[in-house]
Amino acid sequence: MARENCAHVFPNYDVRFAYPRKSGQIRLFHRSGVPHPSTEFYPSLEIFTDALNTGASRIAVRFPFVFKFDWGGEGRNVLWIPSPEALNDALDTARRYERTGQKGFLVQEYIPAGNRVLRVVVIGARTVIYWRVLKNSETAVAGLAAGGVIDTASDSAFQKAAGASVRRFCDAAGINLAGFDILSPLQPPGADPVFLEINYFFGRRGLGGSRAYYRMLIAEIERWIDGIEAGPPMGSPQSA
C-alpha cells in the first residue's frame, strides 16, 4: 500500500516481498551471484521423503547439515543435523507443523566457520559489523539467543571485505534496512564471505541496545529525507 501511494518509502522492502521467506532469500542470492551455501528447498515433507528415498537429495545424505524451516529469523527454526536421529527429530517437528498448515523447509550444506557468524547491519548509509561467537559448541547458527557473545575486534580485514560485499549487494537489490548473517569459511583459507541469511527484523544487543539503534535509525531516516529533498544532481538522467 505504501509503495502504491508514495514515490519514496523507507525502508525499501521491495526484494523482501519479491523474494519472501528463507527460500526466497536463497533465490535472491543465486540470482545476484553471491557466495551462499548449497541449498535444497522442499515444499512438503512428502516431497522430501521421496527425494531422500530416491537419492535425489545430495545434501541430506551427508551429515552434518542444516535443516531450516521456511520462516523465522535470528536463528529460530534452524536445526543442526549431525546424525540420522537428529534428522528424524526434525522431520517429526515438520510433521507437527504441517498439521497446522505450515509447510516448507530447506536442507543446507554445512560450512565450518569456527562457531561464529558475522552480523552486518545496514541502516540507511550506515553499516555496523560484529561477530556473534558461540563458545564450546559447533552448531548451525552462532546466535546471541543461543548463548553467543559479541566480538567487534577479530578479523578486521574480513569484516571490511564482508561489509563491502554486503554494501554492493544492497546497492543492487535496493535494501536499506536489514541484518545480514555472513560466514567466514575455515576452508579454503581466504575464502570470500558467504551469505547465509537476511534478517529484516533483527536483534539490537550488538548495536548497543534499542535506544542506540533508534538513534542510528532516526539519523539515517533524516539523512534519507535530506537526500530526497535535495533531488538528483544536475545533468543526471533523473533530472532530465
Side-chain angles (χ1 to χ4, degrees):
M1 184 179 67
R3 292 287 281 113
E4 289 173 354
N5 291 280
C6 186
H8 305 285
V9 180
F10 186 99
N12 183 347
Y13 279 159
D14 286 356
V15 296
R16 180 186 170 204
F17 291 107
Y19 296 89
R21 311 182 96 176
K22 294 178 181 178
S23 55
Q25 292 180 16
I26 293 297
R27 289 191 292 109
L28 177 60
F29 293 157
H30 182 74
R31 189 207 74 174
S32 302
V34 297
H36 60 280
S38 296
T39 305
E40 299 168 355
F41 173 67
Y42 295 97
S44 71
L45 187 58
E46 180 181 5
I47 293 174
F48 173 74
T49 301
D50 288 343
L52 202 60
N53 291 337
T54 60
S57 173
R58 294 178 296 172
I59 296 174
V61 295
R62 286 186 175 182
F63 299 98
F65 62 89
V66 179
F67 187 106
K68 293 183 175 182
F69 289 100
D70 200 22
W71 59 89
E74 291 293 306
R76 290 181 291 273
N77 287 329
V78 177
L79 306 175
W80 165 244
I81 309 297
S83 65
E85 292 76 18
L87 176 58
N88 287 335
D89 290 343
L91 297 181
D92 285 342
T93 302
R95 195 169 292 107
R96 290 195 297 271
Y97 276 131
E98 288 200 357
R99 292 192 193 111
T100 70
Q102 293 178 287
K103 292 185 177 183
F105 55 84
L106 302 85
V107 293
Q108 193 168 78
E109 166 196 16
Y110 168 64
I111 298 178
N115 299 347
R116 63 181 188 170
V117 174
L118 191 70
R119 169 59 59 87
V120 179
V121 182
V122 170
I123 308 171
R126 184 170 190 154
T127 306
V128 181
I129 305 175
Y130 56 90
W131 294 100
R132 298 179 300 166
V133 184
L134 193 62
K135 301 293 186 180
N136 303 321
S137 176
E138 192 65 72
T139 186
V141 175
L144 300 182
V149 298
I150 295 168
D151 174 5
T152 60
S154 297
D155 289 353
S156 58
F158 183 84
Q159 289 192 38
K160 183 177 179 180
S165 292
V166 168
R167 270 293 165 190
R168 287 192 296 271
F169 178 86
C170 287
D171 288 345
I175 296 172
N176 55 10
L177 184 64
F180 289 77
D181 290 336
I182 304 292
L183 292 179
S184 173
L186 296 179
Q187 295 294 334
D192 290 334
V194 173
F195 284 64
L196 187 61
E197 196 167 292
I198 307 172
N199 297 277
Y200 294 102
F201 297 96
F202 44 85
R204 301 164 187 173
R205 193 170 125 201
L207 303 173
S210 290
R211 289 188 179 182
Y213 167 67
Y214 285 125
R215 283 195 297 270
M216 288 185 276
L217 179 62
I218 291 169
E220 291 304 318
I221 290 172
E222 290 174 346
R223 187 205 302 262
W224 175 78
I225 292 172
D226 289 343
I228 294 173
E229 293 174 346
M234 292 300 295
S236 67
Q238 293 91 337
S239 66

